[in-house]
């Protein structure tokens, strides 16, 4: 998303007022900035409206949010400092656009749920029995579409994660499609997750065949095997985990081994309302290993960020920023 410097500045002022609500220099500079251009006043009103939608009382820690004419104050020449607050403001500005799709976020499955046979909302799980007797457990924010006709058994994972327990039928292979990735089995238990940038397949029992996109060779997986397909490049990475840890989210647990912070956050987003935003790409690429409680995503985030030098800050119930410490 292209940056809007005026909107960014408005969020910058709001965050400064959060940090130091009684600082006269900051309040005077804020007033002068609002008076200097009608576009500034419009941006301030938009920021305040979004802040209220995110569940905050207002930028002045309980003081009324003023969206009319700015208070009279001499022009001190104070401008928003750029320090760490600037990065936070840039990410918070993105919430304005995200808030426009809030209606989709509260509908089970969001936009991805449109056209689905079954879908779940945030922190919701659901068990589905398919036409052939196979069972599927849906993770939070997940949507699937199934097709059982002409000898076909096929499920499309539109978004999210699902654990499959497939009824054996050698004459009719069971296929799960996630983007350009096809997972084929005849009868087994396995987990598939798709978060937009990758597809992850983990096998609890039996064997599965995974056909990645871009003409990559077919991969054979057995119990305890894990395969990650980068949907942009088609790159494939194999790994191992204990079979009993496959689909651990069904018990409210998230076990990760040498995963990136961004990968873990993608899973936590399915279990927390609103948005979790990583403000630093380098931080998102750091690797972690651990067992986290999906029933308390905020606690899980803080536990994950401590050893990698990150901080977690919640702005109301619907926006959480993950930033580099300092």
């Amino acid at each position: 998303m292209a940056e809007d410097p005026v909107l960014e500045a408005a969020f910058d002022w709001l965050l400064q007022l959060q940090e130091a609500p009684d600082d006269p220099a900051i309040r005077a500079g804020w007033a002068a900035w609002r008076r200097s251009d009608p576009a500034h006043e419009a941006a301030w009103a938009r920021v305040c409206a979004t802040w209220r939608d995110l569940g905050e009382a207002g930028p002045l820690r309980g003081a009324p949010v003023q969206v009319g004419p700015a208070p009279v104050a001499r022009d001190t020449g104070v401008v928003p400092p750029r320090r760490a607050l600037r990065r936070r403001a840039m990410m918070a500005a993105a919430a304005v656009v995200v808030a426009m799709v809030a209606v989709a976020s509260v509908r089970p499955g969001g936009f991805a749920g449109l056209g689905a046979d079954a879908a779940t909302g945030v922190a919701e799980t659901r068990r589905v029995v398919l036409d052939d007797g196979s069972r599927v457990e849906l993770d939070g924010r997940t949507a699937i579409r199934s097709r059982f006709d002409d000898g076909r058994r096929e499920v499309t994972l539109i978004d999210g994660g699902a654990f499959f327990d497939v009824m054996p039928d050698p004459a009719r292979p069971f296929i799960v499609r996630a983007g350009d990735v096809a997972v084929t089995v005849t009868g087994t238990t396995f987990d598939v997750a798709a978060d937009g940038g990758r597809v992850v397949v983990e096998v609890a029992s039996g064997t599965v065949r995974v056909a990645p996109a871009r003409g990559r060779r077919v991969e054979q997986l057995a119990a305890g095997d894990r395969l990650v397909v980068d949907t942009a490049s088609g790159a494939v990475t194999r790994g191992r985990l204990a079979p009993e840890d496959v689909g651990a989210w069904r018990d409210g647990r998230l076990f990760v081994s040498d995963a990136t912070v961004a990968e873990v956050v993608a899973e936590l987003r399915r279990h927390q309302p609103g948005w979790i935003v990583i403000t630093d790409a380098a931080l998102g690429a750091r690797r972690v290993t651990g067992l986290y409680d999906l029933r308390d995503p905020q606690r899980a985030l803080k536990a994950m960020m401590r050893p990698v030098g990150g901080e977690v800050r919640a702005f109301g119930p619907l926006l959480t920023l993950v930033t580099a410490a300092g």
Side-chain angles (χ1 to χ4, degrees), residues 5-315:
V6 176
L7 200 59
E8 178 187 326
F11 264 110
D12 205 345
W13 281 118
L14 185 145
L15 291 172
Q16 289 183 75
L17 291 166
Q18 277 281 349
E19 296 286 341
D22 300 320
D23 188 313
I26 290 178
R27 293 177 67 93
W30 163 63
W33 175 82
R34 289 176 61 190
R35 292 196 329 271
S36 66
D37 191 320
H40 295 177
E41 189 65 27
W44 179 253
R46 188 179 178 190
V47 162
C48 288
T50 299
W51 201 248
R52 286 192 294 267
D53 289 342
L54 291 171
E56 290 293 327
L60 303 183
R61 296 194 186 280
V65 178
Q66 180 174 357
V67 294
V72 176
R74 65 186 183 86
D75 190 345
T76 62
V78 177
V79 297
R82 290 305 178 196
R83 307 186 304 274
L85 285 176
R86 184 179 187 278
R87 180 175 291 276
R88 290 177 182 172
M90 288 170 60
M91 301 312 300
V96 174
V97 176
V98 176
M100 290 162 47
V101 297
V103 173
S105 296
V106 298
R107 182 192 301 122
F111 284 133
L114 297 177
D117 297 330
T120 55
V122 178
E124 176 189 6
T125 59
R126 179 180 174 187
R127 294 183 180 181
V128 178
V129 178
L130 302 176
D131 290 350
D132 68 335
S134 296
R135 295 184 296 273
V136 186
E137 294 186 54
L138 306 183
D139 198 357
R141 284 180 170 168
T142 293
I144 63 171
R145 182 171 55 250
S146 59
R147 181 177 178 182
F148 290 79
D149 57 17
D150 299 326
R152 178 194 306 242
R153 296 195 296 169
E154 184 173 304
V155 174
T156 298
L157 178 62
I158 301 171
D159 194 22
F163 184 90
F164 295 85
D165 186 352
V166 177
M167 289 289 289
D169 187 346
R172 290 197 305 161
F174 188 101
I175 300 173
V176 177
R177 298 191 183 278
D180 293 332
V181 178
V183 182
T184 304
V185 305
T186 54
T188 186
T189 55
F190 61 102
D191 190 90
V192 182
D195 61 18
R198 62 190 192 126
V199 174
V200 182
V201 182
E202 299 175 346
V203 183
S205 66
T207 60
V208 307
R209 187 170 73 250
V210 181
R214 301 178 182 272
R216 300 274 179 165
R217 70 183 179 88
V218 174
E219 301 280 345
Q220 300 284 346
L221 306 183
D225 283 339
R226 181 176 193 266
L227 189 76
V228 180
V229 181
D230 185 305
T231 55
S233 66
V236 172
T237 304
R238 294 187 68 123
R240 292 283 299 171
L241 76 166
E244 58 268 25
D245 288 326
V246 175
W249 54 265
R250 295 174 296 155
D251 299 320
R253 299 180 297 118
L254 175 62
F255 173 75
V256 297
S257 177
D258 195 35
T260 67
V261 167
E263 290 168 355
V264 179
V265 167
E267 175 62 34
L268 292 176
R269 286 187 181 118
R270 298 179 193 153
H271 299 268
Q272 176 168 306
W275 308 279
I276 305 173
V277 179
I278 304 173
T279 67
D280 187 301
L283 179 63
R286 293 178 187 172
R287 296 191 170 272
V288 295
T289 296
L291 180 64
Y292 305 106
D293 187 352
L294 290 174
R295 294 163 297 189
D296 191 345
Q298 285 287 321
R299 181 181 178 187
L301 271 173
K302 292 174 182 177
M304 176 178 63
M305 298 314 301
R306 276 194 293 269
V308 297
E311 294 180 347
V312 178
R313 185 174 183 185
F315 291 87

